[in-house]
Amino acid sequence: MPTDPQSALITIQAGLAQLSTLIVSYSFSAIGAIILLVVGYFVAGLAERSISAGLGHIHGFDATLRHFFSKIVRYAILILVTIMVLGQFGVQTASIIAAIGAIGLAIGLALQGTLQNIAAGIMLLALRPFRIGEYVEVGSIAGTIEEIGLFATKLRSVDGVYVLAPNSTLWNQPVRNFTRNGVRRTDVSLSIGSWNDIDRAQKTLLAIAGAEKRIRREPAPIAFVAGLGDSVSLTLRYWTSAADYFSTQIAMTKRAKQAFDSEGISIPLPPPEMPAPEARKQ
């Protein structure tokens, strides 16, 4: 059947009116979304810089931790702005928030170990049980700290081996920091024959300790008898800086032997080896 031209014109006009209404409506939504994006972008940047600057004024606050927190604030604002922009176009933001929460939960379960390392890294950077350049021992891990990251910590062992330790491993065990206090006690032990003059040997040890500038005068060095048996075990105990610990120990061990030799204090020799039964029969 032929269409009435007047009815067709009315239908077209109604459609154009609805289209015009939609264009105007979505134009305002688009303009509002653009404004939100621009303002949100600048607010996120401003918040990031403000948090970073504020934390930077806190004495001793780690730079890595400051960068981490400022980035979290920035991305949180950007995510919030994105949700608001979607709401401008009539999208149900409640379902988006629920989806983000579900995704976050799934990622958290999948990356549980990684998140533990991040949490441990934050605690290590905040509480500072060790710093870069300090020598530490944590369980079976020992070395000088070279870098503390959010996921792992880099160390260098005494024999120059590169060690990368997960932060959760370092956080969940007692930390022995050999550098933090600045000083360390050292024991140098030697054995002398039981026929030697013990008082003379002690005075000899104290004399070489007094001549060493790296040894602290307070607490004063002491020399004492640590054990008796086939020989007499003597110990020289003194305090020195943590940086001089190994070098002083090596030097004092050598000087103690040389001083005993010059004073005629003998170190017991091991008993002679008995010949094997077959050799005695011959």
Side-chain angles (χ1 to χ4, degrees):
M1 295 179 63
T3 304
D4 185 2
Q6 187 175 1
S7 300
L9 181 61
I10 294 174
T11 303
I12 293 173
Q13 290 177 344
L16 291 175
Q18 291 179 355
L19 179 61
S20 176
T21 303
L22 288 174
I23 291 174
V24 172
S25 176
Y26 278 102
S27 295
F28 282 112
S29 297
I31 293 173
I34 293 173
I35 294 174
L36 277 175
L37 285 173
V38 173
V39 173
Y41 179 81
F42 283 105
V43 169
L46 178 62
E48 179 184 8
R49 292 189 294 272
S50 300
I51 294 295
S52 181
L55 296 177
H57 289 105
I58 301 176
H59 178 69
F61 202 89
D62 186 79
T64 303
L65 203 58
R66 184 174 73 244
H67 178 76
F68 177 74
F69 282 136
S70 60
K71 285 295 183 183
I72 285 181
V73 172
R74 174 184 174 86
Y75 291 133
I77 294 175
L78 290 177
I79 291 173
L80 179 62
V81 169
T82 302
I83 294 175
M84 293 174 63
V85 168
L86 293 176
Q88 286 290 108
F89 293 98
V91 178
Q92 293 295 326
T93 56
S95 59
I96 295 176
I97 295 174
I100 292 175
I103 293 172
L105 179 61
I107 294 175
L109 292 175
L111 302 176
Q112 186 174 4
T114 302
L115 294 177
Q116 287 179 352
N117 286 327
I118 294 176
I122 293 174
M123 297 303 295
L124 291 174
L125 291 169
L127 298 182
R128 297 284 192 164
F130 46 75
R131 296 185 177 93
I132 294 175
E134 294 182 336
Y135 183 83
V136 300
E137 182 180 290
V138 185
S140 60
I141 302 171
T144 302
I145 302 296
E146 291 193 331
E147 181 181 338
I148 305 172
L150 285 175
F151 298 94
T153 297
K154 298 178 183 178
L155 303 93
R156 184 183 69 256
S157 66
V158 291
D159 52 353
V161 177
Y162 170 85
V163 180
L164 183 65
N167 286 334
S168 58
T169 301
L170 300 178
W171 176 250
N172 292 325
Q173 298 185 72
V175 176
R176 299 183 66 196
N177 192 323
F178 294 90
T179 310
R180 177 64 56 87
N181 291 335
V183 295
R184 288 188 63 181
R185 193 192 76 187
T186 311
D187 288 353
V188 175
S189 299
L190 301 98
S191 295
I192 62 174
S194 58
W195 56 87
N196 291 284
D197 187 340
I198 297 177
D199 292 333
R200 185 179 178 184
Q202 289 178 294
K203 290 179 181 178
T204 302
L205 291 175
L206 291 176
I208 63 173
E212 175 55 59
K213 295 181 179 180
R214 290 173 293 183
I215 293 179
R216 293 177 173 264
R217 300 297 173 257
E218 290 294 335
I222 59 172
F224 57 92
V225 177
L228 297 173
D230 295 336
S231 61
V232 178
S233 178
L234 295 177
T235 297
L236 172 64
R237 176 170 292 173
Y238 59 87
W239 290 80
T240 185
S241 67
D244 294 331
Y245 175 81
F246 290 107
S247 60
T248 307
Q249 185 182 47
I250 293 170
M252 294 305 295
T253 302
K254 179 180 179 180
R255 290 175 191 171
K257 176 60 170 63
Q258 293 172 336
F260 281 177
D261 289 344
S262 63
E263 292 291 331
I265 301 171
S266 58
I267 294 176
L269 299 175
E273 294 184 2
M274 297 296 293
E278 294 79 3
R280 290 201 298 268
K281 289 179 181 179
Q282 295 176 0

